[in-house]
Amino acid sequence: MAQNTTPAAVQLHHHTAAPVEFDNRIYKYEGRAVLKRVFLYLSIIVRHLTWKKIVNFVNIELDYFLTRPVCKGKPWSAKIEPTNICNLQCTYCPREDTPYQLGIMSLERFQQLIDDIKDHTFIIALHLWGEPLLHKRLPEMIRYAVDSGIGTYISSNFNRLTEEQAREIVESKLDLLTVCVDGSDQDTYEVFRKGGKLSKVLENIETFIRIRNEMKSASPYVELQFLVTPKTEHEVERVKALAERLGVDTFKAKPVYPIMVERKGEYFLPEGEEFYPIKRRAKRKTCWWLWRTITIGWEGSVLPCCRVMFASSMGNVFRTSLSEVWNNQQYQGLRRTFVKGAEGKKPCDVCHVPYTSMHG
């Protein structure tokens, strides 16, 4: 496919509800999974430590702490999109409102990108708005990143998986795999995962765990994620029991992002406070995405994060260097909105990350 395209994400055309307010507590069923993931990330960081990465980590953390618009350090993590093509039409996904061209990142371009970031990056997530398993060369991408000293993570709807793919992914030394299971039966599942088949997902999870065990591999760490909505709130314990029977490593129940609630309305807002506390707006904090992480679309466009849809990209790493993009005027402008005393409407106000204690 062509490599020149419009940005990977653009401004949402409409919202259907008022901005959502939220508390700063970790959701009841998310805390343990978050803690496990923190320990996993720490093990990845230790495993891939180099002096260059240590110096960069100190620099970027100082940049973040001091809210510097111009960074001395570079991002120590990245979200890279292998493809924005997807096999489902999820109800809460903003894809329907974002007119961008579909495509895949070539292995060669991915390798070029990894070569550029490997000296300062500890971990990358290989997913954004598409289904990563649809990229035929995903295992090669994972292996190249791992061999370059970078930890890897993917999130998948897991509707498509062959035994050969499963073996290749285990062999690639992927660190973390999140499988999204948003219902305990097909009727509930297909309300949100349109085009998906729950029985196939569960079969694929069983196959993957079996193959991982046969290969006597400790990785990848498998996380089953369940998005809580008013339609699924009563199913949390059932899905948790299902996760235990499947033999995954951890279970995580979480709400959809507030921006999705704003798009779709109260329909997506769980009633139980333990799932989605919205008693008060917590104090706004500096958002770590603009310092610690870089988000890159399949065609090279750079986005400030994966949570908010912006009108245009911040630059393109296949046209200019990552260093130039990282400290360009767009990035500096967004970082300045978090400087103490900054006034006016912030482009990140619809996002929950700057308000939640678990994220900074």
Side-chain angles (χ1 to χ4, degrees), residues 68 117 143-144 150 168 208 216 235 305 308 318:
R68 289 171 177 159
I117 70 173
R143 174 52 90 177
Y144 191 82
I150 300 174
E168 289 177 343
F208 191 87
K216 294 180 171 54
E235 297 186 358
C305 72
V308 181
F318 296 142

Side-chain angles (χ1 to χ4, degrees), residues 153-164:
Y153 161 46
I154 64 171
S155 178
S156 171
N157 62 55
F158 237 48
N159 272 265
R160 292 190 183 183
L161 181 78
T162 65
E163 289 209 9
E164 181 182 4

Side-chain angles (χ1 to χ4, degrees), residues 163 167 207-217:
E163 289 209 9
R167 292 186 184 280
T207 297
F208 191 87
I209 296 297
R210 172 178 57 81
I211 288 174
R212 187 188 68 171
N213 293 342
E214 288 175 355
M215 296 176 69
K216 294 180 171 54
S217 176

Side-chain angles (χ1 to χ4, degrees), residues 21-30 228 233 255 269-280:
E21 293 192 352
F22 36 86
D23 207 332
N24 63 347
R25 287 169 286 177
I26 296 177
Y27 312 118
K28 177 179 177 181
Y29 290 86
E30 196 176 5
V228 185
E233 210 165 340
L269 191 63
E271 295 179 4
E273 186 177 297
E274 69 269 32
F275 302 118
Y276 210 127
I278 55 170
K279 290 292 185 182
R280 61 182 174 80

Side-chain angles (χ1 to χ4, degrees), residues 140-153:
E140 293 175 79
M141 289 178 157
I142 296 169
R143 174 52 90 177
Y144 191 82
V146 171
D147 288 346
S148 299
I150 300 174
T152 52
Y153 161 46

Side-chain angles (χ1 to χ4, degrees), residues 103-288:
I104 62 171
M105 184 182 291
S106 69
L107 178 62
E108 293 71 28
R109 281 198 159 180
F110 177 79
Q111 291 172 335
Q112 170 192 333
L113 183 54
I114 293 299
D115 290 344
D116 196 27
I117 70 173
K118 64 183 180 181
D119 286 340
H120 56 82
T121 303
F122 287 110
I123 187 167
I124 58 173
L126 284 164
H127 57 267
L128 188 55
W129 296 114
E131 169 51 52
L133 292 182
L134 296 181
H135 198 301
K136 294 181 179 179
R137 306 193 76 174
L138 179 67
E140 293 175 79
M141 289 178 157
I142 296 169
R143 174 52 90 177
Y144 191 82
V146 171
D147 288 346
S148 299
I150 300 174
T152 52
Y153 161 46
I154 64 171
S155 178
S156 171
N157 62 55
F158 237 48
N159 272 265
R160 292 190 183 183
L161 181 78
T162 65
E163 289 209 9
E164 181 182 4
Q165 274 183 307
R167 292 186 184 280
E168 289 177 343
I169 290 171
V170 174
E171 288 173 348
S172 73
K173 300 302 181 183
L174 176 72
D175 288 289
L176 173 62
L177 166 65
T178 295
V179 180
C180 304
V181 180
D182 300 326
S184 62
D185 58 52
Q186 181 61 26
D187 289 341
T188 305
Y189 179 80
E190 66 185 358
V191 168
F192 304 105
R193 297 283 177 178
K194 291 183 178 179
K197 191 173 182 180
L198 180 61
S199 61
K200 186 62 178 175
V201 176
L202 301 182
E203 178 187 329
N204 288 341
I205 295 173
E206 288 182 327
T207 297
F208 191 87
I209 296 297
R210 172 178 57 81
I211 288 174
R212 187 188 68 171
N213 293 342
E214 288 175 355
M215 296 176 69
K216 294 180 171 54
S217 176
S219 62
Y221 185 88
V222 180
E223 173 185 81
L224 191 150
Q225 176 178 285
F226 178 70
L227 293 182
V228 185
T229 70
K231 294 288 184 180
T232 62
E233 210 165 340
H234 64 285
E235 297 186 358
V236 172
E237 290 298 335
R238 269 185 278 170
V239 179
K240 184 174 183 290
L242 179 63
E244 291 171 355
R245 290 199 302 272
L246 289 168
V248 300
D249 298 302
T250 193
F251 167 75
K252 179 170 71 174
K254 59 179 287 186
V256 296
Y257 297 142
I259 189 173
M260 296 298 104
V261 178
E262 291 185 358
R263 290 181 66 250
K264 299 294 184 178
E266 298 298 312
Y267 179 70
F268 279 93
L269 191 63
E271 295 179 4
E273 186 177 297
E274 69 269 32
F275 302 118
Y276 210 127
I278 55 170
K279 290 292 185 182
R280 61 182 174 80
R281 180 172 288 279
K283 184 179 178 182
R284 191 167 188 272
K285 303 179 180 182
T286 304
C287 181
W288 54 267

